Amino acid sequence: MKQLIKFAIVLVSFSLWGQTSPSQEDLKVGLVLSGGGAKGLAHIGALKVIEEAGVRIDYVGGTSMGAIIGSLYAAGYTPHQLDSIFKQTNFNSLIQDDLPRGVKSFYEREDSERYAITLPFDKFKIGFPSGLSKGQNIYNLLAYLMAPVENVKDFKELPIPFFCIGTNIETGEEVLLDRGSLPQAVSASGAIPSLFSPVEINGKLISDGGITNNYPIEEMKKRGVDYIIGIDVQDSLVNRKKLQSAFEILTQVNNFRTIKDMKTKRKKTDLYIKPDITAFTILSFDEGEAIINKGEEKAKEFTADLELLAQRQKSSEKKPRRIQLSDSVYIHNIRISGNNNYPRNYIRGKLKIDTDTKVPYQDISEGINNLSATGNFKRVAYELKEVGENKKDLNLIVTENENNTSLRLALHYDELYRSGALLNFTRKSLLLKNDILSLDFIAGDNFRYDARYYIDKGSYWSIGLHSRYDQFSKSVPYSFVLNNFNLGDYNVNKITVDSQDFTNQIYAETFFLKSFKFGMGAEHKYTALETETIIENNDNQEVPFTILEQSNLFSAFGYLEYDKYDNAYFPCHGLRFMGDFHAYLFESKASFDFSPFYIAKGYLGYAFSPIHKFSFRVQAETGFRIGETEMNALNFTLGGYGNHLVNNLIPFYGYDFVSISGDSYIKGLVEVDFEPFEKNHISFGYNIANVEDDLYSTGNWFSAPDYTGFGLGYGLETFLGPIELKYTYSPERSESEWFFSLGFWF
């Protein structure tokens, strides 16, 4: 009996040895990666441990963030490369489609720095965007990272075969994505509802695969693998304290099904890894490093199992993988498809990519962003097709935005215009395919409007019509009024001045290198300065105010501008230059004797960041009048703080709005900005100026400054625009001024 037992033990031992012997067995391992937004970064940490254990992955399947990381791993990236890539990625800019300011035209920059909310307005019905982001930045990044495998159209032919899951949002059906364009498929799988717009693939509108199958283990079993490793980063249910937004509630509702499904799916997983990431949310990208570490920590608990698994695979098949990225590609030709309303030359003009030359991938990405910034396209995709040795065609696939009408909203408060609520109506392709009509109506303490019609011809001469009405009331020292207007000597300290400006322009402009524009045109301007504080027209009791000045001016003008600032309100890098010249040639119904006069002004600013989190801005500007005139409404008036001020109002620290006036001025500014946290700014500035009539004739422009001021402020970038609080002080006045502004300036 003892001999029989010994024989049985030996037989079992030989059997087990045969199962683990590389010559007898080679287990094919499938890897399933769940979706989970930012939590999916834990996949990277787990992959590090899996590779260190020596396990060969033979198939990868994933959903949403699992699809993104899984596809890159399948394409040839190592876990350490993925770690480096995602640590260097600014996810806030990526998710928000935060396009660099430099890729936008001047017109597009003005729009993005003016309106907080944009809503579709098709057939006079207000709609809502299909997502907060089009996902264009994510696609651009994926297309670049996947360039080495861009010719692979069947995902089984990747270095590691791959598939991912999407959801047909029209039918609610699960969609298997295992062929076609890899970056497009992965973008669709990761298109979280309400956050990203769905992606159209083969006529189907596809969104986040997590809606239907967030852990595609059944599909992996169909692939003929012997062993499945699953990494689960799905959300758990949370209590009511953490359900504070519509997005969080929608996520919780979707989790009901996925958590229930996992009870079955977990049993089908041979090695189940679930990192402890309950402390994070699907948007915790700023804590990416901690999430990656959590994935690594959890996977290390299974190191022994992973090493045993590796021993059951043939070592000769474990080929080292490392992907190599190229900085550029030779573009032979550009082919465009999907365009119906926008002609090829318009798209090529925005793309700004030459053919039969080597093009950096960065230029391709910028060209795609140029098109995206127009707002005329839902999505812009591209493929690079091999057409010869080291030559490729750029196949551009555009999806035009069907909606050409929108409503846009903004809110603002400042110390000059006070409160303002802006409602904008925008219609594209009104008369021509490349025209834009924009109407701003501003209600609040001071009614204003801004109407623009623009025919965009890219680098050719574009034509525009512009009409604007501004008004504000400001209490100023009576001495200031006496210095500028002919009023009697009254025993008052201050007087309230009501300002009106109605300006109409027709102009033509052209652009060079996207950041430089030159234009010229004709202008009609009506200005009126009035006061109800003092009434001098006693002979006409029907007029309860005194007209300080009134004019109807007709002028010709020219301008040029170069703008490479990275941020209009808080620039850290770049150069900005502006020059403007107006010739006021005719007048009707003036309250003064008119003779032609000319006004010129210029601005030069430079921003740089020599130290991390610190940036510096130096600025010089000047303006002067040529010719004698009794008109004072267009004098250069310094004081206050802000942007996009009407006419020749010039911000100046240490003084209130409308404090210093003259027909010429010169000003300098030095400012330092400290950004302790992203989009938070602490600034300190010092400005100097000389202001007087005939400044350059007297030579006083080169003398010691007559006016100085300091400014200390805090600013916050929000979706409404900047929120700023400024404390300013003037040494010569020994007085301070506070300024507060909220929202984009308009």
Side-chain angles (χ1 to χ4, degrees), residues 618-638:
V618 292
Q619 174 188 312
E621 57 183 295
T622 187
F624 56 90
R625 185 178 68 198
I626 303 172
E628 296 295 328
T629 181
E630 296 181 11
M631 184 178 183
N632 292 300
L634 295 182
N635 275 359
F636 298 98
T637 305
L638 277 66

Side-chain angles (χ1 to χ4, degrees), residues 604-620:
L604 177 64
Y606 177 63
F608 59 101
S609 181
I611 307 171
H612 182 55
K613 293 184 179 291
F614 284 87
S615 60
F616 296 83
R617 178 163 62 104
V618 292
Q619 174 188 312

Side-chain angles (χ1 to χ4, degrees), residues 80-372:
H80 289 281
Q81 284 179 306
L82 293 177
D83 191 346
S84 178
I85 290 169
F86 283 94
K87 283 180 179 178
Q88 295 174 13
T89 300
N90 186 330
F91 283 95
N92 287 329
S93 296
L94 207 65
I95 293 172
Q96 296 172 14
D97 272 345
D98 189 10
L99 300 175
R101 189 169 183 265
V103 308
K104 303 173 184 176
S105 69
F106 278 89
Y107 195 94
E108 292 154 0
R109 291 175 195 177
E110 290 175 6
D111 277 5
S112 65
E113 295 158 3
R114 189 176 181 88
Y115 308 111
I117 299 173
T118 299
L119 300 173
F121 192 58
D122 189 28
K123 298 179 181 178
F124 296 96
K125 294 182 179 178
I126 298 177
F128 292 93
S130 57
L132 295 176
S133 168
K134 293 186 293 185
Q136 189 65 61
N137 280 346
I138 290 179
Y139 175 85
N140 291 349
L141 177 62
L142 291 173
Y144 169 66
L145 294 174
M146 295 173 178
V149 294
E150 61 197 1
N151 293 324
V152 177
K153 301 304 176 186
D154 187 339
F155 302 165
K156 292 198 298 275
E157 298 176 3
L158 289 168
I160 302 175
F162 170 77
F163 71 86
C164 61
I165 303 296
T167 300
N168 187 326
I169 63 170
E170 293 182 293
T171 65
E173 297 176 341
E174 177 183 325
V175 179
L176 174 66
L177 301 168
D178 61 354
R179 61 188 66 247
S181 167
L182 183 60
Q184 191 175 46
V186 173
S187 297
S189 181
I192 301 173
S194 75
L195 190 59
F196 297 110
S197 300
V199 180
E200 186 174 345
I201 299 178
N202 298 327
K204 298 178 180 179
L205 214 55
I206 300 176
S207 192
D208 187 5
I211 301 171
T212 51
N213 191 352
N214 202 38
Y215 188 82
I217 192 169
E218 297 86 355
E219 191 62 43
M220 181 60 75
K221 284 187 171 295
K222 297 177 184 178
R223 307 289 158 154
V225 298
D226 305 304
Y227 193 98
I228 296 178
I229 301 173
I231 306 174
D232 181 12
V233 296
Q234 300 177 83
D235 276 320
S236 302
L237 297 180
V238 299
N239 59 36
R240 66 180 68 184
K241 292 182 179 180
K242 295 184 177 181
L243 298 174
Q244 300 296 321
S245 68
F247 184 77
E248 290 168 337
I249 293 172
L250 286 171
T251 303
Q252 177 94 332
V253 171
N254 187 62
N255 289 341
F256 293 157
R257 179 191 52 78
T258 58
I259 292 172
K260 182 179 179 180
D261 289 347
M262 281 306 302
K263 293 178 180 178
T264 302
K265 293 185 175 187
R266 180 174 181 175
K267 296 176 181 178
K268 298 177 182 180
T269 309
D270 297 293
L271 183 60
Y272 179 75
I273 302 174
K274 187 171 179 58
D276 181 12
I277 45 178
T278 54
F280 309 99
T281 71
I282 62 174
L283 297 177
S284 298
F285 290 102
D286 56 336
E287 301 179 90
E289 186 172 358
I291 297 173
I292 292 172
N293 291 337
K294 286 291 184 181
E296 189 171 358
E297 289 172 11
K298 189 63 180 179
K300 283 182 177 179
E301 296 178 12
F302 301 92
T303 298
D305 299 294
L306 292 168
E307 289 175 347
L308 285 173
L309 177 60
Q311 294 174 17
R312 299 173 66 184
Q313 295 180 297
K314 291 182 178 180
S315 58
S316 60
E317 297 295 326
K318 299 172 186 174
K319 300 176 182 179
R321 300 178 299 110
R322 181 165 291 273
I323 201 165
Q324 296 293 332
L325 281 172
S326 176
D327 292 332
S328 59
V329 58
Y330 190 97
I331 301 296
H332 174 65
N333 197 8
I334 298 175
R335 306 183 186 279
I336 301 170
S337 61
N339 57 312
N340 296 312
N341 297 317
Y342 299 96
R344 173 182 170 86
N345 60 348
Y346 172 83
I347 295 173
R348 284 292 306 272
K350 294 292 184 181
L351 195 62
K352 296 185 183 299
I353 293 177
D354 296 325
T355 55
D356 284 321
T357 186
K358 206 168 190 179
V359 179
Y361 275 101
Q362 181 63 30
D363 287 1
I364 297 176
S365 182
E366 286 186 5
I368 301 297
N369 285 340
N370 291 343
L371 286 167
S372 183

Side-chain angles (χ1 to χ4, degrees), residues 96 112 115-117 409-410 679 716-723 743-744:
Q96 296 172 14
S112 65
Y115 308 111
I117 299 173
L409 309 169
K679 300 186 183 298
L716 177 65
E717 298 180 68
T718 73
F719 78 97
L720 288 173
I723 299 174
F744 294 115

